[in-house]
Amino acid sequence: MKQRTRIILAMDETDKEKAIRITELLKDEIDAVKINWPLILSSGPEMINKLSKITDVICDLKVADIPNTARLIVENAVARGACAVIVHAFTGEDSLKAAVEAADGKAEIYAVTEMSHPGGMTFTAKHAEEMAELGIRCDVSGFIAPATRPERIKVIRKMIGTKKILSPGVGAQGGKASEAIKAGADHVIVGRSVYDSEDPLSAIREIQKDIRSVL
Amino acid sequence: MKQRTRIILAMDETDKEKAIRITELLKDEIDAVKINWPLILSSGPEMINKLSKITDVICDLKVADIPNTARLIVENAVARGACAVIVHAFTGEDSLKAAVEAADGKAEIYAVTEMSHPGGMTFTAKHAEEMAELGIRCDVSGFIAPATRPERIKVIRKMIGTKKILSPGVGAQGGKASEAIKAGADHVIVGRSVYDSEDPLSAIREIQKDIRSVL
């Protein structure tokens, strides 16, 4: 995934036509589109192939299974054209390693350290540093760290050297793009505040402006 | 899900025809078939609908996302006919509650406490009791606890009253059905050792015999 605008669009939509239309509209304003299971369940796994023809696709599958299942999920997503897959680290070293091996250098694997929603504090936040260390051992490409808690991005940033940080929670969840970038994120992830906007182009350009203010 | 043979068949297959054929063959020997993401990625989400016409289908989606995404995943699976969905508890109370509310009494939600593979020891096993308590608060139907560690099933059993335990890891992963049932499991989950057997019917009847020996 190239670093141009530093923005990843989270297409948390289940409407196939809208997902394709908004991705087409914003493809020059974003570094990648991120999709997840609800879109695959509503529109079929072929959506990975279709969107990959428009822009880079990050499959945010939050893979959280035993090694063999993790391997099968990643292999399928990569074969369909995904440039990256997001995987949980809390399932342990064997599962995370299986995901990295399945990507086989053809796609990036990002590991979740802690989650951006309130429930993410209960278990994931307690082990974020251990999970970052695990991700480094498993040679992931980078990590997911919440824009809603920039101080946590800083902690992870210090641990992971040149590995990348993708930061969700910008916009509707309350995180600010510039704060996440200042704290050490390489890309911010924005969703509803853009794709549900009456004017998605203006909405994303506002975020670009906010990001440029700290670069 | 009825309790007849106490066996759930984990159809960890990506071959659509084989998945349908083996489910047809074994439908009278099992309580339900359990499918996961690799089959949905290879064969489309319609597999949930198709298999639901043959027997009860548990969607082992290991849902591990923010509340809104968890809700969308569960709603789709239930609308397609799933009788149960398996969800991680480590994402916290809001996500687990969203899954239970999305099932809306039309399907069961099972929460993972600890995972059966070696990596499951690193993070999930440390919080298994807390996750069981969380599941009770969120009113899940039951829990997933590993047949590979019957002593852990006993611990969870004592905590959860009449809620159910589904126990994976029987067969290829080394767990024994009768040991899991004795420890307090309501259903055991068997996979490769049955569907990859040259004679799946005989293989499952051996497991039935093993279970009956402790009932």
Side-chain angles (χ1 to χ4, degrees):
Chain A
M1 182 175 38
K2 290 195 185 119
Q3 194 183 56
R4 296 176 305 182
T5 64
R6 292 182 173 240
I7 298 174
I8 294 164
L9 178 65
M11 188 57 77
D12 296 338
E13 259 296 325
T14 53
D15 177 336
K16 183 177 172 174
E17 306 308 326
K18 183 176 173 187
I20 292 172
R21 181 168 44 82
I22 303 269
T23 304
E24 279 284 3
L25 177 70
L26 298 179
K27 65 182 177 189
D28 296 326
E29 313 295 328
I30 57 177
D31 292 343
V33 67
K34 179 175 86 69
I35 64 170
N36 58 12
W37 288 121
L39 184 65
I40 292 172
L41 282 170
S42 69
S43 312
E46 303 74 25
M47 279 304 279
I48 306 170
N49 311 64
K50 276 182 196 148
L51 292 172
S52 293
K53 290 185 183 114
I54 304 172
T55 186
D56 280 355
V57 173
I58 301 172
C59 280
D60 184 7
L61 305 181
K62 300 275 191 327
V63 181
D65 218 313
I66 60 170
N68 191 51
T69 307
R71 177 180 66 77
L72 291 171
I73 293 171
V74 171
E75 280 176 359
N76 190 295
V78 174
R80 290 181 183 279
C83 81
V85 183
I86 296 176
V87 174
H88 273 293
F90 82 94
T91 49
E93 184 156 352
D94 45 3
S95 287
L96 191 53
K97 202 172 269 177
V100 172
E101 286 173 5
D104 196 21
K106 297 193 223 36
E108 296 181 314
I109 296 293
Y110 287 88
V112 180
T113 55
E114 73 185 79
M115 298 182 76
S116 59
H117 67 301
M121 293 303 289
T122 314
F123 301 111
T124 68
K126 284 177 189 154
H127 295 289
E129 285 90 336
E130 289 163 84
M131 291 197 276
E133 282 163 13
L134 178 62
I136 292 166
R137 277 207 303 284
C138 294
D139 201 20
V140 300
S141 300
F143 296 88
I144 312 297
T148 47
R149 301 174 205 130
E151 72 286 2
R152 301 294 304 150
I153 299 178
K154 281 185 195 163
V155 171
I156 302 298
R157 178 78 276 163
K158 278 190 190 139
M159 297 178 62
I160 63 169
T162 57
K163 292 198 185 290
K164 287 191 262 184
I165 293 178
L166 315 187
S167 190
V170 168
Q173 283 188 60
K176 199 159 183 292
S178 51
E179 294 296 321
I181 298 287
K182 264 202 297 188
D186 297 279
H187 303 263
V188 295
I189 302 172
V190 297
R192 281 168 281 174
S193 64
V194 170
Y195 68 70
D196 273 347
S197 160
E198 281 185 23
D199 183 352
L201 258 175
S202 296
I204 211 150
R205 284 178 183 157
E206 274 302 307
I207 299 166
Q208 289 172 351
K209 210 171 119 188
D210 176 40
I211 291 173
R212 278 197 307 268
S213 76
V214 293
L215 291 182
Chain B
M1 183 174 39
K2 291 197 183 116
Q3 195 182 56
R4 298 176 305 181
T5 64
R6 292 180 173 243
I7 297 174
I8 293 164
L9 179 64
M11 188 56 77
D12 296 336
E13 259 297 325
T14 54
D15 178 335
K16 182 178 174 175
E17 305 308 326
K18 183 176 172 187
I20 292 172
R21 181 166 45 80
I22 303 268
T23 304
E24 279 284 3
L25 176 71
L26 298 179
K27 64 182 176 188
D28 295 328
E29 313 295 328
I30 58 178
D31 292 343
V33 68
K34 180 176 84 70
I35 64 170
N36 57 15
W37 289 120
L39 184 65
I40 292 171
L41 282 171
S42 69
S43 312
E46 304 76 23
M47 279 303 279
I48 305 170
N49 310 65
K50 277 183 193 148
L51 292 171
S52 292
K53 290 186 181 114
I54 305 172
T55 186
D56 280 354
V57 173
I58 301 172
C59 281
D60 183 6
L61 305 182
K62 300 274 192 330
V63 180
D65 218 314
I66 61 171
N68 191 50
T69 307
R71 176 180 66 78
L72 291 171
I73 293 172
V74 171
E75 280 177 357
N76 190 296
V78 174
R80 290 180 183 280
C83 80
V85 182
I86 297 177
V87 174
H88 273 293
F90 82 94
T91 48
E93 185 156 350
D94 46 1
S95 288
L96 190 54
K97 201 170 269 178
V100 171
E101 286 173 4
D104 195 22
K106 297 193 231 19
E108 296 179 316
I109 296 293
Y110 287 89
V112 180
T113 54
E114 73 186 77
M115 299 182 75
S116 59
H117 66 302
M121 294 302 289
T122 313
F123 300 110
T124 67
K126 284 176 189 156
H127 296 289
E129 284 90 338
E130 289 163 85
M131 291 196 277
E133 282 163 14
L134 177 63
I136 292 166
R137 277 207 303 282
C138 294
D139 201 20
V140 300
S141 299
F143 296 89
I144 312 298
T148 46
R149 303 174 203 131
E151 73 285 1
R152 301 294 304 151
I153 299 178
K154 281 185 196 164
V155 172
I156 302 297
R157 178 77 277 162
K158 278 189 192 142
M159 297 178 62
I160 64 169
T162 57
K163 291 196 186 289
K164 288 193 261 182
I165 293 178
L166 316 187
S167 191
V170 168
Q173 282 188 60
K176 201 160 181 290
S178 51
E179 294 296 322
I181 298 287
K182 264 201 298 188
D186 298 278
H187 302 263
V188 295
I189 302 172
V190 297
R192 281 170 280 174
S193 64
V194 169
Y195 67 71
D196 274 347
S197 159
E198 282 184 21
D199 184 353
L201 258 176
S202 296
I204 210 149
R205 284 178 183 155
E206 275 301 309
I207 298 166
Q208 290 172 351
K209 211 172 118 186
D210 176 41
I211 291 172
R212 279 197 306 269
S213 76
V214 294
L215 290 181

